[in-house]
Amino acid sequence: MSNLKPGIGETVGKDIDTYEEKNSMSTRFSYGLGGFLDNIYSAAFSVRVIAFYEDEVFLPILMVSIAFVLYGIWNMFNDPLLGHLSDRKNRFTRKYGRRFPWFVASALPFTFIYLLIFTIPFDDTILIFIWLLITICLYDFLYSIWDTNWLALFPEKFRSVKERAKVGGITTVLGLVGMTAGMLIPPLFIVYGNRESYIISAIVVVIIGLLAAVLMIPGMHETEEMKEKLLKAEEDKGEEESFFQYLKIGLKQKNLLVYFFLYITMMVLFTLILGSIPYLVRYILRMPADTEIYISAAFLIGSVSSVPVWVYLSLKLGNRKVYMIGFLFVVFALLPLLFVSNLLTVLFIILILGFAVGAVYTLVYPVFSDVIDEIVVQTGKRNEGIFTGLRTFFGRTANIIAAIVFVIVHELTFYQPGAESQTPLALWGIRVILALVPMFFFLISFILLWRVYDLTPSKVKENQEELLKIKL
């Protein structure tokens, strides 16, 4: 590993970049649409599914939670194993690359599965529970395949620090637009108490998602240079290591483990806040479903406007420092949601929260690439798929956490599904889920970034120089 002179790499100016920027703007945009596809479905899923099954279908919240816990256990095997499988050479690798065939085979059918969650063909409680469990597991199976390969392509395709920052910025903006679309579009069609309206909203999401998946195809192509480098690495690496050997390697990487917790935190925020919006609008603000549109718009304005700021700061201060700022900012932005009940005040707070969350989303991909680069330097092998699969698995544990939080809080506060109004205790429970639990996770994440995570700009530069030297 190269020795750096004192001070070099402590700022992220032009000296830190070891690689050239090789991809066109259209390729970056096409790849970045993965952020849109990911987030429109994740938002629509997180906002709607629990509330739909509890308040519209009247499936007991305990059964909803059990389904999500089993879904999380399914993820324990599904995501990492699919990541490991996608890392392996197959008969399509030489012609199409390592990631592209997996993406095409999974992303297009994935876009349709969301609709099945809401088209329940049964009235029996047990059969409804089974339908929920099967559809969300199938949804996640296809999601994991395309998302794992999309994310794993990022550090392979975009090697330059500056290009990673730019693509991360594009992906963040499109991801935030997707998140807002997933929050904003369904309320245009949903009427509380009307199950059929949820099906109509799901059809609209499916049409938009399919278009995004098709437009992603150019950005997912792997160049001849990438294929040749991959095939040479396959020839040189010798005996294939097992899934559990890679898992052991990953669990020894402190920066990877910290990143996994940061990602869980981000997904806990995403799942709990989005899942709480229908409860916030219906019972705290006491307004119709289309009020969710204004909340979504406030979040979009705050988050998208923040992206250039966070990209600029990351290039000046480095990913680690800006991530610390962003996580702490979110803690303070969440605090007022424990108290406010006025729509205009809520919209202002959501605007500020969106600006803060922009930091977390802008750097989620560049920080992961920094972590992966460190592992590649230490192992001498590029196996992003397995670690991306582990990342997806840890992120999916947020669904288990959310399910447990919802059932515990709703049971302890005597929440009444579908009621015209809730007691003050139940309303406080909604606020706990909305703000207090995410605040706890973000505070812990800030401490981990501050005290444990050590990928400073100088260390990132060292890793990039070493990767260039070993041609990986």
Side-chain angles (χ1 to χ4, degrees), residues 187-383:
L188 295 174
F189 304 94
I190 286 174
V191 177
Y192 292 144
N194 184 338
R195 284 171 56 173
E196 286 71 25
S197 66
Y198 287 78
I199 297 175
I200 295 172
S201 74
I203 292 172
V204 175
V205 170
V206 165
I207 293 171
I208 296 171
L210 179 61
L211 178 62
V214 171
L215 292 176
M216 281 182 67
I217 291 175
M220 289 298 298
H221 273 294
E222 295 164 70
T223 65
E224 290 302 318
E225 180 185 354
M226 292 172 65
K227 296 174 193 173
E228 290 172 7
K229 189 176 291 187
L230 167 63
L231 292 171
K232 185 178 185 304
E234 287 287 332
E235 292 172 1
D236 294 343
K237 74 179 182 179
E239 184 179 351
E240 183 74 31
E241 292 179 301
S242 71
F243 164 75
F244 292 103
Q245 286 173 311
Y246 285 121
L247 181 61
K248 186 177 179 181
I249 291 170
L251 295 178
K252 289 182 178 179
Q253 304 291 327
K254 69 172 184 178
N255 288 320
L256 181 66
L257 293 178
V258 170
Y259 178 85
F260 284 157
F261 188 85
L262 302 181
Y263 191 66
I264 290 171
T265 295
M266 185 178 79
M267 297 309 295
V268 164
L269 174 80
F270 187 79
T271 305
L272 291 183
I273 285 190
L274 296 188
S276 296
I277 286 177
Y279 300 94
L280 170 69
V281 170
R282 190 170 186 174
Y283 294 116
I284 293 179
L285 298 179
R286 305 281 294 166
M287 303 189 86
D290 58 9
T291 305
E292 296 178 24
I293 296 171
Y294 306 118
I295 294 175
S296 302
F299 184 86
L300 176 65
I301 293 169
S303 54
V304 172
S305 65
S306 77
V307 172
V309 176
W310 299 121
V311 170
Y312 174 80
L313 289 176
S314 70
L315 291 172
K316 288 293 182 182
L317 304 176
N319 294 335
R320 176 178 172 271
K321 286 183 179 179
V322 177
Y323 230 27
M324 288 172 61
I325 293 169
F327 273 82
L328 192 59
F329 192 176
V330 171
V331 173
F332 289 106
L334 284 169
L335 185 61
L337 291 176
L338 291 172
F339 311 105
V340 299
S341 300
N342 175 270
L343 176 61
L344 290 179
T345 309
V346 167
L347 292 177
F348 177 75
I349 293 166
I350 294 295
L351 181 76
I352 300 301
L353 178 62
F355 193 95
V357 170
V360 177
Y361 276 89
T362 298
L363 294 177
V364 64
Y365 305 109
V367 169
F368 185 59
S369 295
D370 292 344
V371 173
I372 291 297
D373 284 350
E374 181 184 48
I375 295 173
V376 174
V377 166
Q378 293 177 7
T379 63
K381 299 177 182 179
R382 277 203 172 274
N383 292 288

